[in-house]
Amino acid sequence: MKLRHFINIFWVLLLVSCGQEPQPEPKPQELELKKTEYSILPGWQQDNHAEAYKAFLLSCQKVKFAKGEFLGASQIKINRIRFVQLCEQAQTISPDKFKSFVEDNFDPYLVLYQGSSEGKFTAYYEPLIRVSKTPDDKYKYPIHAKPLDLIEFNPHDFDASMPSKRLVGRIKGQKLVPYYSRAEIAEGQGNIPVLLWADSFVDVFVMHIQGPALAEFEDKSQIRISYADTNGLKFKGIGSILLQNKELKAGEASMGQIKKWLLANPDKALQYMNQNSRYVFHQLIGATGPLGALNTPLVAGRSLAVDTQYIPLGALLWLDTVKPDGTPLQRLINAQDVGGAIKGAIRGDFFWGSGGDDVLQQAGQMNSKGSYYIMLPKQEKNNGKKD
């Protein structure tokens, strides 16, 4: 590629990523880790720890082959060699021995940020979406694959003083420009491959928010759809859009209520949906469950999306929060996914499972206060401060 082409791409991306002059990204404040005992973990004795065994082994598969100390550029560092040793030991036990295994080999630490252990926990799920391989009057809403002309760029690769940030765009002439927005893609702009055709534009939109989906054909055969990439543009939640336009009242913006409103108001729905410029591209997979950021199947009720600035992928956590109905949600889980809206030191998105509107009603209503504990291999030093 010509030098001028590189220079054009570089300066366009500086403008895209920073607006004007590039500014260093703020450094996240440090966590505090407070060592505790299993005997005082809320709900520890009541959990079915064997259910977390499968998720732990799935994490182990990826951590074993990870480069560096551990997965994710998080503040908490876990020695990968020691963790892999424990993974190998875990493979020799039965699921019913997993509780004792964790107690014998890990110490629990309460995660605090700015002196508080309280954070926010939401939930997501794998929606069921009805599809066809060919379009017709019923199946007319495209599920797009990742475009071949989507270009990835990191300014740090060209200048070490620039922030390391993944940006995407497309080539227009000899310049790299932002990729097509949701509205532009809805208008048919771009030569974007179609994986399947769905019977509901609302279900496709919900899938863009949730990430994965379970696609079902008319003969009841199924295939999984997984996240592949995005157009790189800013995400704006449909709930906040509807609230700003006074289509919903405060307290009515659960995912189930939002979906009902979108279906009942299709013309307005398309207008508001296009105000979220972010567009998600997908891929077909043959996995036994939806794939998370570790590229392993998520386990219903045992996988959590986290902010990897703070919590490393693959880490074992104890979650202490409540379900939408107020009943305790206290269980052993694994940090196996990320999410565009999952930002913060004590922030998690609980993977509820797969299904239709019944699962949506549960997962979509979750917005709970809570805390979590990270399980660290015994006698390991970590970057977080400990009491």
Side-chain angles (χ1 to χ4, degrees):
M1 187 180 290
K2 296 181 180 178
L3 177 61
R4 186 179 67 172
H5 198 169
F6 271 120
I7 293 174
N8 285 339
I9 290 174
F10 183 73
W11 285 109
V12 167
L13 278 163
L14 294 188
L15 294 174
V16 170
S17 62
C18 305
Q20 296 178 352
E21 292 294 325
Q23 299 293 329
E25 294 184 352
K27 184 178 179 180
Q29 297 188 35
E30 289 190 4
L31 296 177
E32 180 184 0
L33 301 182
K34 186 175 182 179
K35 189 176 179 180
T36 186
E37 302 294 333
Y38 287 102
S39 60
I40 62 173
L41 284 187
W44 177 257
Q45 298 300 331
Q46 289 72 46
D47 187 32
N48 185 352
H49 302 78
E51 292 180 354
Y53 180 66
K54 176 183 177 181
F56 178 73
L57 292 184
L58 288 170
S59 292
C60 284
Q61 292 176 11
K62 291 298 177 180
V63 174
K64 183 176 181 179
F65 298 103
K67 295 180 179 179
E69 289 188 347
F70 213 67
L71 299 179
S74 64
Q75 284 192 22
I76 301 173
K77 304 298 181 184
I78 302 176
N79 185 283
R80 187 181 66 82
I81 295 176
R82 175 59 180 153
F83 196 88
V84 170
Q85 290 174 346
L86 294 178
C87 285
E88 291 173 348
Q89 292 178 29
Q91 291 177 349
T92 66
I93 67 172
S94 58
D96 63 302
K97 301 295 184 183
F98 190 53
K99 176 177 179 289
S100 298
F101 173 84
V102 174
E103 293 173 340
D104 291 342
N105 293 285
F106 292 85
D107 285 323
Y109 290 84
L110 178 64
V111 180
L112 299 104
Y113 182 72
Q114 297 181 340
S116 173
S117 64
E118 185 177 282
K120 176 181 176 181
F121 294 90
T122 52
Y124 67 117
Y125 78 115
E126 183 187 41
L128 181 69
I129 185 168
R130 292 172 176 81
V131 299
S132 172
K133 294 180 180 179
T134 56
D136 56 26
D137 290 341
K138 179 180 179 181
Y139 297 98
K140 54 187 177 182
Y141 304 104
I143 298 172
H144 285 115
K146 182 178 178 179
L148 297 177
D149 61 347
L150 194 72
I151 304 297
E152 180 177 335
F153 176 85
N154 189 332
H156 188 75
D157 293 340
F158 290 81
D159 185 341
S161 67
M162 296 295 297
S164 180
K165 186 174 184 180
R166 180 183 181 272
L167 303 169
V168 299
R170 60 186 175 88
I171 300 295
K172 184 178 181 180
Q174 286 195 319
K175 290 185 177 181
L176 184 61
V177 299
Y179 205 77
Y180 298 108
S181 68
R182 175 178 294 277
E184 291 170 330
I185 293 173
E187 292 172 353
Q189 296 192 46
N191 185 17
I192 308 174
V194 177
L195 290 172
L196 297 168
W197 298 87
D199 67 351
S200 168
F201 73 94
V202 174
D203 284 347
V204 174
F205 185 75
V206 170
M207 180 179 65
H208 282 209
I209 297 171
Q210 298 297 322
L214 185 61
E216 185 174 271
F217 297 94
E218 288 195 338
D219 64 1
K220 302 302 179 181
S221 62
Q222 297 177 335
I223 190 170
R224 281 196 153 83
I225 304 174
S226 179
Y227 168 93
D229 212 329
T230 78
N231 60 352
L233 299 182
K234 188 175 180 180
F235 172 84
K236 187 174 183 180
I238 186 64
S240 63
I241 293 171
L242 295 178
L243 287 170
Q244 288 173 6
N245 288 276
K246 299 181 179 179
E247 300 290 358
L248 292 178
K249 297 178 181 179
E252 295 180 347
S254 71
M255 198 64 239
Q257 290 169 311
I258 289 172
K259 184 176 179 180
K260 288 180 181 178
W261 189 94
L262 295 174
L263 289 169
N265 301 273
D267 293 336
K268 282 187 176 182
L270 290 170
Q271 173 190 342
Y272 290 137
M273 285 159 53
N274 285 337
Q275 290 182 23
N276 172 27
S277 297
R278 173 73 60 86
Y279 196 92
V280 179
F281 306 110
H282 290 86
Q283 59 185 327
L284 302 180
I285 60 172
T288 56
L291 297 182
L294 278 176
N295 202 33
T296 60
L298 300 176
V299 179
R302 297 292 169 173
S303 299
L304 191 76
V306 297
D307 184 345
T308 54
Q309 282 194 102
Y310 302 97
I311 303 295
L313 285 173
L316 194 61
L317 302 166
W318 178 257
L319 177 64
D320 178 21
T321 185
V322 295
K323 297 178 181 179
D325 62 5
T327 58
L329 181 57
Q330 298 164 329
R331 60 182 62 188
L332 196 59
I333 56 174
N334 281 257
Q336 295 180 319
D337 208 0
V338 298
I342 311 307
K343 302 297 180 186
I346 306 173
R347 178 73 173 94
D349 208 20
F350 178 79
F351 178 61
W352 205 280
S354 306
D357 288 345
D358 55 335
V359 179
L360 169 61
Q361 284 299 112
Q362 300 176 72
Q365 293 181 31
M366 186 168 169
N367 188 1
S368 305
K369 294 179 180 179
S371 58
Y372 50 35
Y373 301 73
I374 186 166
M375 309 304 189
L376 301 180
K378 290 188 174 181
Q379 299 179 347
E380 290 296 313
K381 295 181 180 180
N382 297 277
N383 289 352
K385 298 176 182 178
K386 302 194 287 269
D387 284 354

